[in-house]
Amino acid sequence: ALAERLRAGGAEVTLVRAGARFAREGERAFVVAPASRADHEALLRALRADGAAPDGLVHAFGLDAPGGGDEPSARAFLGVLHLAQALGRVQEREARLFVLGTGVHDVTGQETLHPGQAAALGPCMVLGQEYPHLSGRYVDVWPGTAAAGEPVERVYAELTGAAVDPVVAYRGRHRWLPVFDAMPPAAAGASPVRPGGTYLITGGLGNVGLALAAALVRRGAARVALTGRFGLPDRGQWDALAAQDGPLAARVRAVRALEAAGAEVQVLRADAGDREEMRAALAAARARDGALHGVIHAAGVIDQTTLKPLAQLEAADGERQLRAKARGAHVLAELLGGERLDFVMMASSLSTVLGGLGFAAYAAANHVLDALAERQHQLGRTWWTSVAWDGWRTPDAPGAVAGPAAHAMTAEEGGEAFARLLSLPRRARLAVSTADLGARRRAWTQPAAAAPAAGPEASLAQHARPDLHTVYAPPETATERRLAQVWGALLGIDRVGLDDNFFELGGSSLLAVQLVGKLRPEFAGELSVTTLFEAPTVRALSRVIDAPAERGRDLDRSQGRGRMRREIRTDRRMVDATVE
């Protein structure tokens, strides 16, 4: 029906249905396996060869069989991921991706929610941040509250309109957008932490889990059970470990600090995504007096294998993220059932609000947490809450930080925020932002709007080139001179050398998005934020731009890899520092 409406409006439409493998069925008809990256690439290459490279794409496979209940859906994630990856690799012209879903957002309270489908939001939101010539938007439609034909008209208006909102929900005749209201301190009530209470924290040996455990103990908790995939060595080894350096020693010292503060601490080896291991962990936490008063789900994985640009993500990366966070939350919901605790708090991430370079898989898992909390409230379990946390500063982070890391909280600040959150009126979703969230949302979800309106030459007042470890070498070729000019204008630097690193000059991930957006209209070929991460100097990037396509793909990009890892670590602090 949507295809017919688009054709009636004058558009050329290609229909793609789900099948076992890529195939052409007609002039404007194809088959793809929805979870196949190769099939999506073949589709886009075929359209380009036909002279029909798309201006817009509608991903509607999520409407075919939403189902899945609370269970995280790898299909929901992979289908959008692989289409996004194919677009980044093949699509040279600007294009908009619309992902249609249903039952992801609780708007009227009457929808049947499918939290697992929320995983598609991760790659959808990040697409435009990593590829400025592309954009991703999620449209949640619920046909059950609309007259016949109305959803088609609403989606058609969204596809053909000028709006750029990253997430939209349609219910009947009304168009809904997410809004975040500030919660004043006066809204807080009494703390629900019970003196002498018993609490379980999944991922309790990670940085965030330990900080939240300390906050509970400071407010009177008598017993805390900390679960982790690997646990800790036998207590007989703790004296030797505590005297050493490294993450394991730091965990031992943190547990001992909790005990010194008067708490009884259980360290339990349990994978949050394993039902039987978590059943045993819950039983162990209750063993002392049969009580359990609250649960915090802080399990998660952040490392260099999962925090990746879209182009490098593999299916296993997404599955790993979904297992730790989304599957873990589903297991808890199943095991706890309707048991009324004082609170169940899931540690989500501000990446569900802001996206972020490299966060497609991580944000996908956290979107499921947010949707699951809304589902729990629909079931009357209002003690469940998903908190989209701002960054937590890791213990080894420098005292003075800049860029995204400047927003990160210390463990003490996060613990204080946690205590206030528990005292607020019941909400399915809460967000913690240490800076103006509205401004951050506009900058990250509409980066083009955040860029200076004038050309790059008028962006910032110029200042002297900072002291760098590289010696200044003047640009020579036309491409090098143009790159240096644009970089200098955007960063406000009077001269940029051939071997000056964009990020060492003060460039950030957000500025990288803006820079690539400015450069793409001038230079042909594959140019994305990932390209800048891998070739972060004028010399390296000019070679990628000027080289033939084959040579560009084979170029040794080792110079940029170290910087890419450092930048990802910086951005990681903006989102979460849970490392287990």
Side-chain angles (χ1 to χ4, degrees):
L2 180 60
E4 291 175 4
R5 181 66 183 88
L6 284 164
R7 290 189 182 108
E12 292 185 11
V13 180
T14 298
L15 286 176
V16 184
R17 68 176 182 86
R21 64 183 61 85
F22 172 76
R24 182 191 287 268
E25 290 191 323
E27 183 180 358
R28 289 288 181 265
F30 294 85
V31 178
V32 298
S36 169
R37 177 173 16 186
D39 280 13
H40 285 102
E41 282 195 25
L43 168 67
L44 292 176
R45 292 187 190 282
L47 290 173
R48 188 171 65 182
D50 292 347
D55 300 299
L57 301 95
V58 179
H59 183 281
F61 287 137
L63 299 179
D64 292 342
D70 303 338
E71 190 79 30
S73 172
R75 177 181 176 182
F77 171 73
L78 291 176
V80 179
L81 171 67
H82 288 154
L83 177 54
Q85 289 175 323
L87 281 168
R89 185 169 178 81
V90 178
Q91 183 79 10
E92 296 177 346
R93 60 193 293 181
E94 291 187 359
R96 299 193 296 172
L97 169 64
F98 296 87
V99 178
L100 303 187
T102 186
V104 167
H105 295 97
D106 181 17
V107 180
T108 68
Q110 303 301 311
E111 305 95 333
T112 300
L113 296 182
H114 307 295
Q117 296 300 308
L121 280 157
C124 181
M125 288 184 65
V126 171
L127 175 64
Q129 296 172 341
E130 296 192 17
Y131 296 94
H133 68 299
L134 303 174
S135 66
R137 303 180 60 206
Y138 193 91
V139 183
D140 185 332
V141 295
W142 187 249
T145 60
E150 199 165 77
V152 171
E153 287 300 320
R154 300 302 174 192
V155 175
Y156 174 77
E158 199 69 40
L159 267 59
T160 57
V164 295
D165 307 294
V167 180
V168 177
Y170 278 97
R171 299 295 186 266
R173 295 178 293 106
H174 298 288
R175 181 180 188 270
W176 298 80
L177 299 174
V179 174
F180 293 83
D181 293 322
M183 298 290 285
S191 171
V193 179
R194 299 191 186 196
T198 300
Y199 302 90
L200 179 139
I201 305 176
T202 69
L205 296 173
N207 292 323
V208 172
L210 287 167
L212 297 180
L216 287 172
V217 171
R218 284 196 298 270
R219 285 156 182 81
R223 288 172 292 280
V224 289
L226 310 177
T227 76
R229 286 172 295 156
F230 308 113
L232 287 178
D234 293 336
R235 285 181 177 262
Q237 303 177 43
W238 284 17
D239 286 340
L241 279 172
Q244 300 175 11
D245 295 325
L248 188 59
R251 292 171 188 170
V252 169
R253 289 193 293 269
V255 170
R256 283 189 160 178
L258 294 175
E259 293 176 334
E264 177 185 323
V265 181
Q266 291 176 289
V267 178
L268 304 171
R269 183 185 177 280
D271 179 342
D274 187 296
R275 182 182 290 102
E276 295 311 312
E277 289 186 9
M278 283 306 302
R279 190 191 306 277
L282 287 167
R286 302 177 193 272
R288 177 160 181 134
D289 58 10
L292 182 63
H293 302 112
V295 171
I296 298 173
H297 178 46
V301 177
I302 293 185
D303 56 28
Q304 296 303 322
T305 66
T306 51
L307 196 60
K308 296 180 179 179
L310 279 166
Q312 299 176 12
L313 271 175
E314 301 293 340
D317 300 325
E319 290 167 1
R320 194 171 177 209
Q321 290 292 329
L322 288 168
R323 178 178 178 83
K325 282 185 168 282
R327 172 67 181 167
H330 175 75
V331 166
L332 277 175
E334 183 180 275
L335 294 176
L336 294 174
E339 179 182 359
R340 187 181 187 92
L341 303 178
D342 293 340
F343 63 86
V344 177
M345 193 207 82
M346 296 184 290
S348 180
S349 156
L350 214 55
S351 64
T352 60
V353 181
L354 303 178
L357 306 179
F359 295 137
Y362 180 72
N366 285 295
H367 276 294
V368 177
L369 298 191
D370 294 348
L372 178 60
E374 292 187 330
R375 174 63 176 156
Q376 293 293 87
H377 273 241
Q378 280 195 342
L379 296 173
R381 302 167 186 171
T382 57
W383 52 94
W384 282 73
T385 298
S386 182
V387 178
W389 286 99
D390 211 327
W392 292 68
R393 192 170 302 172
T394 57
D396 59 347
V401 291
H407 295 300
M409 304 171 293
T410 64
E412 292 72 21
E413 291 167 340
E416 177 62 27
F418 166 67
R420 296 190 186 193
L421 290 172
L422 291 181
S423 304
L424 291 172
R426 301 293 189 184
R427 296 286 190 278
R429 295 178 58 188
L430 293 166
V432 177
S433 177
T434 64
D436 185 330
L437 184 58
R440 294 172 76 181
R441 288 181 71 203
R442 287 189 295 274
W444 276 100
T445 62
Q446 300 176 29
E457 289 70 25
S459 297
L460 291 174
Q462 302 290 288
H463 57 81
R465 176 179 179 269
D467 291 332
L468 302 173
H469 71 279
T470 54
V471 176
Y472 175 78
E476 298 175 353
T477 69
T479 300
E480 291 169 352
R481 288 193 295 271
R482 181 55 181 156
L483 290 178
Q485 180 185 32
V486 175
W487 287 24
L490 185 63
L491 298 171
I493 296 173
D494 60 1
R495 58 177 187 160
V496 175
L498 269 177
D499 300 309
D500 294 351
N501 189 297
F502 177 80
F503 300 102
E504 291 176 1
L505 288 172
S508 65
S509 297
L510 186 55
L511 284 175
V513 174
Q514 296 176 14
L515 176 66
V516 172
K518 292 176 183 295
L519 294 177
R520 276 194 63 87
E522 297 187 42
F523 299 107
E526 295 180 17
L527 188 60
S528 69
V529 175
T530 303
T531 312
L532 182 60
F533 277 138
E534 296 179 336
T537 67
V538 168
R539 187 193 303 273
L541 188 58
S542 66
R543 287 176 178 173
V544 172
I545 290 172
D546 291 340
E550 266 322 297
R551 183 182 170 194
R553 280 193 289 271
D554 295 338
L555 183 65
D556 178 8
R557 295 169 175 170
S558 60
Q559 180 181 2
R561 289 186 181 127
R563 179 63 240 181
M564 181 181 179
R565 288 192 290 271
R566 289 195 293 275
E567 177 67 9
I568 283 180
R569 282 199 293 270
T570 298
D571 275 353
R572 164 168 85 189
R573 296 195 197 107
M574 179 187 69
V575 176
D576 198 346
T578 304
V579 179
E580 188 188 330

